Amino acid sequence: MLQSLSLPTSLDTFLSGASAGAAATSLTYPLDLLRTRFAAQGRDRVYENFRSSVVDIAHSEGFRGFFQGLFPAVGQVVPYMGLFFSIYEILRPPLASISLPFGSGDAAAGILSGMLAKSGVFPLDLIRKRLQVQGPMRARYAGGSVPVCNGVWATGRAIVSKEGWRGLYRGLGISLVKSAPASAVTMWTYEHALKLLRFTKVKEL
């Protein structure tokens, strides 16, 4: 579809990555919310297991509770995936020409793309996580230190007001440490799987 519109390659890549990211995030968002809530639990456990968490959220917050913070999540992943794939396609050709072990030019491009894209959208990721731990059990997360958050813009303003602009990037370092190897493995695997599929198709012909 995008090819039929004759879009520039960079825009085609951006829109493809952004659309895929938005769809995947929306469909799997309840699982992302549960992961964040389980990670935010302290010694005072809010949920005992996966089943109890689903039942409790459905009972106390309703269906909408499973999508708390969806707007900033999609708002974050659309530019993130778009930027990630656009930057990757720009960096991959020059890095592929560098002699690295195991053809890891793809991995190097993935690392740089992931770090740049993650840095650009990190404030929305932080806001998403703040919103995910709202609800009736908010005071029991992270030792009771989770502030009340109402909406994306209000949460962003509250963070800047209390923590300064640097507060929007709290936790960026560890996020990049996690993102870099994940991006490297993802793109290295993607490129090599693609080459294998092309090779298999050629042999069948």
Side-chain angles (χ1 to χ4, degrees):
M1 178 180 175
L2 290 177
Q3 289 182 345
S4 66
L5 296 177
S6 300
L7 296 172
T9 303
S10 57
L11 181 58
D12 191 339
T13 302
F14 183 95
L15 292 176
S16 298
S19 300
T25 297
S26 299
L27 290 172
T28 62
Y29 188 78
L31 294 175
D32 185 52
L33 179 134
L34 290 175
R35 180 192 63 172
T36 300
R37 291 196 176 187
F38 273 107
Q41 291 186 131
R43 293 182 179 180
D44 179 20
R45 294 179 64 83
V46 179
Y47 308 116
E48 290 299 324
N49 50 51
F50 177 80
R51 181 179 179 279
S52 68
S53 67
V54 173
V55 172
D56 187 80
I57 293 173
H59 176 72
S60 60
E61 302 176 52
F63 180 76
R64 292 182 63 183
F66 291 102
F67 293 90
Q68 186 82 256
L70 176 62
F71 178 71
V74 174
Q76 175 240 334
V77 79
V78 166
Y80 171 77
M81 294 299 291
L83 286 170
F84 177 82
F85 281 101
S86 296
I87 296 171
Y88 176 77
E89 289 299 327
I90 293 171
L91 295 178
R92 185 171 60 86
L95 289 176
S97 63
I98 301 175
S99 180
L100 295 172
F102 307 109
S104 54
D106 300 326
I111 290 174
L112 293 173
S113 303
M115 294 179 70
L116 290 171
K118 175 65 74 173
S119 299
V121 301
F122 188 78
L124 281 173
D125 192 38
L126 179 70
I127 291 171
R128 169 183 64 86
K129 291 177 180 176
R130 295 277 179 99
L131 290 173
Q132 283 181 331
V133 290
Q134 298 300 303
M137 301 297 183
R138 177 187 56 79
R140 296 177 61 186
Y141 294 116
S145 62
V146 178
V148 176
C149 300
N150 296 303
V152 177
W153 300 114
T155 302
R157 286 196 301 268
I159 292 173
V160 173
S161 176
K162 295 179 181 178
E163 306 173 44
W165 288 100
R166 292 182 62 181
L168 292 172
Y169 290 88
R170 183 182 296 275
L172 174 61
I174 192 66
S175 182
L176 292 180
V177 169
K178 173 193 170 186
S179 173
S183 300
V185 171
T186 297
M187 299 317 296
W188 186 91
T189 304
Y190 168 77
E191 292 293 349
H192 284 73
L194 194 60
K195 289 176 183 177
L196 179 61
L197 290 172
R198 286 172 177 167
F199 177 74
T200 304
K201 187 174 181 179
V202 169
K203 286 188 66 176
E204 289 177 351
L205 296 176

